[in-house]
Amino acid sequence: MDLAVTFSSFIIACLLALGLQVFFFSPISPEILELPPASSRQKLPPSNAKLQEVIKLGEGFLVKPEDICVDKNGLIYTATRDGWIRRLHRNGTWENWKWFQSESLLGMTAAADGSIIVCDCDKGLLKFTDEGITVLASHVDGVKIRFADDVIEGRDGSLYLSDVSSKFGYEEWYFDVLEAKPHGRLLRYDPSANHTSILLHNLAFPNGVALSPLEDFLIVCETWKFRCLKYWLKGENRGQTEIFIDNLPASPDNINLAPDGTFWIALIQIIPPRLEFLHRSKVLKHIVATFPWLTSLANGANTKALVANVNAQGKIIKIFDDPTGKVMAFVTSALEFEGHLYLGSLKSDFIGKLPLEMAFA
């Protein structure tokens, strides 16, 4: 009897300790995440496993290349987790071009002046040239840009960038998903005035950004809302926002304009179907956030790869995937160049190159 009482007391004490740990030391203040019902999400065609057919560029040389851009000379650039901006020359050779002390270089774009503009989660918006590195923007309205994620340049030189979260940084990105509160912003950097302004507040993990062919609107991806927004830059709707595509089959990461005026969207499975119940419980969210090793179990991005080709009306035209992550997983960007699709990933040690003529056949 005494043993039973002792054991019961021990269990109660453990539960109380767990409760105190969770509710007093949890790093998040979560809301219930309203996921789009499975019946309303855009249905995927049968798997084609096309991403298992990629050519591996720079295998073993690249460390989790998240994004890719191409300059006017056809050189391909990527930023890797070891702080290098590496570039691939036309003859197939790789070069360690520029190094920056950071493990969080993410989205990038090739500017008209020949420079490479890169988002660093901690430092903000950076400009890389042969001569050196310049920090273009680290604050907006006196507040630090905490999680610069992706950037695109307009023809007038304006730089549009996403700031994922004003609360959580790069290493805590999944906390933003768990908290399910819109901490993100869409920003514009004006190089002529050296000034950064806020275009949109209260975005849900704003990720990839892309301009339309006429640059009359901009697309920004909201990762944990399974949708992309259209923000009008010109015309009678200037300054207004509408949904470009919603109820996506997975969470949108980066987005890039294709030569034919469509868009390529990298889709990641940050919420596996079997764990959707987790996001309907504040208590479970607290537990996962309090014990960070659990976030790797809750995040399904490393298990598969998926990219979608979407037309200007927000309709999915084509899907390519690796349904089991056999060759590619956690694909974060898809860029079309000279008949090939180049794929960045936060799991791979290479860039995937997919010949589109073969893939569309």
Side-chain angles (χ1 to χ4, degrees):
M1 183 68 176
D2 290 341
L3 182 61
V5 170
T6 301
F7 181 73
S8 298
S9 299
F10 174 75
I11 294 298
I12 292 171
C14 287
L15 291 174
L16 287 173
L18 177 62
L20 289 172
Q21 174 75 12
V22 167
F23 290 104
F24 285 95
F25 297 99
S26 171
I28 64 173
S29 174
E31 296 291 342
I32 300 300
L33 178 55
E34 298 294 336
L35 296 169
S39 60
S40 69
R41 294 178 205 171
Q42 299 205 28
K43 291 184 173 21
L44 291 176
S47 171
N48 53 37
K50 288 294 184 179
L51 297 188
Q52 294 181 358
E53 302 173 9
V54 298
I55 302 163
K56 298 179 180 181
L57 302 178
E59 186 175 14
F61 182 60
L62 307 178
V63 183
K64 300 179 180 179
E66 201 264 358
D67 198 14
I68 303 155
C69 68
V70 182
D71 72 8
K72 57 189 176 183
N73 298 314
L75 276 68
I76 297 173
Y77 294 75
T78 187
T80 54
R81 301 287 68 71
D82 53 1
W84 279 103
I85 304 294
R86 293 184 163 100
R87 62 184 178 186
L88 177 63
H89 292 267
R90 286 283 194 175
N91 62 8
T93 61
W94 282 94
E95 175 190 0
N96 285 327
W97 181 52
K98 292 292 177 181
W99 183 78
F100 186 74
Q101 189 171 356
S102 172
E103 296 180 356
S104 59
L105 296 173
L106 296 178
M108 59 197 311
T109 193
D113 65 1
S115 64
I116 302 298
I117 310 298
V118 184
C119 288
D120 178 72
C121 293
D122 182 55
K123 298 296 191 298
L125 195 62
L126 310 177
K127 180 176 182 176
F128 289 76
T129 66
D130 287 324
E131 289 70 40
I133 304 167
T134 305
V135 178
L136 298 178
S138 60
H139 292 72
V140 56
D141 293 345
V143 178
K144 180 178 173 60
I145 300 172
R146 188 177 177 89
F147 197 156
D149 189 282
D150 194 25
V151 60
I152 192 68
E153 183 187 48
R155 283 189 281 269
D156 65 353
S158 295
L159 295 170
Y160 300 92
L161 65 147
S162 56
D163 181 16
V164 166
S165 177
S166 59
K167 181 174 181 179
F168 301 108
Y170 174 67
E171 296 295 336
E172 307 164 320
W173 72 269
Y174 206 77
F175 287 168
D176 195 90
V177 179
L178 289 170
E179 183 157 294
K181 290 179 179 176
H183 298 300
R185 302 175 295 184
L186 176 65
L187 310 178
R188 176 181 177 268
Y189 172 73
D190 179 356
S192 62
N194 190 27
H195 178 260
T196 306
S197 56
I198 301 172
L199 298 181
L200 291 175
H201 292 271
N202 301 322
L203 296 177
F205 207 111
N207 210 321
V209 290
L211 286 163
S212 68
L214 297 177
E215 298 193 1
D216 53 342
F217 64 84
L218 178 144
I219 304 296
V220 58
C221 300
E222 285 192 296
T223 296
W224 54 254
K225 278 200 173 180
F226 293 78
R227 71 182 187 183
C228 302
L229 299 179
K230 177 188 290 188
Y231 177 78
W232 287 96
L233 298 170
K234 299 176 182 177
E236 60 182 20
N237 294 323
R238 181 179 178 181
Q240 296 183 29
T241 305
E242 61 189 65
I243 293 175
F244 174 65
I245 184 171
D246 64 354
N247 297 329
L248 284 161
S251 300
D253 197 307
N254 282 329
I255 181 171
N256 283 296
L257 179 67
D260 64 358
T262 62
F263 296 90
W264 287 101
I265 305 177
L267 299 169
I268 53 176
Q269 187 172 258
I270 60 171
I271 302 174
R274 70 181 187 282
L275 293 179
E276 289 186 359
F277 69 90
L278 168 66
H279 297 270
R280 294 190 287 268
S281 168
K282 293 183 181 181
V283 172
L284 290 177
K285 287 185 173 195
H286 275 299
I287 292 173
V288 171
T290 304
F291 303 98
W293 61 272
L294 288 174
T295 60
S296 63
L297 302 178
N299 175 14
N302 287 319
T303 61
K304 64 191 304 183
L306 188 67
V307 298
N309 186 223
V310 178
N311 66 19
Q313 290 71 48
K315 180 181 179 182
I316 293 178
I317 302 169
K318 190 72 175 178
I319 289 279
F320 298 137
D321 72 334
D322 182 340
T324 61
K326 178 182 178 182
V327 176
M328 296 213 74
F330 207 164
V331 168
T332 48
S333 59
L335 176 69
E336 184 177 343
F337 175 61
E338 294 185 345
H340 293 79
L341 195 63
Y342 292 84
L343 303 157
S345 164
L346 279 175
K347 188 180 181 184
S348 301
D349 64 352
F350 60 87
I351 285 173
K353 179 182 179 181
L354 184 68
L356 287 174
E357 184 176 355
M358 294 174 59
F360 278 120

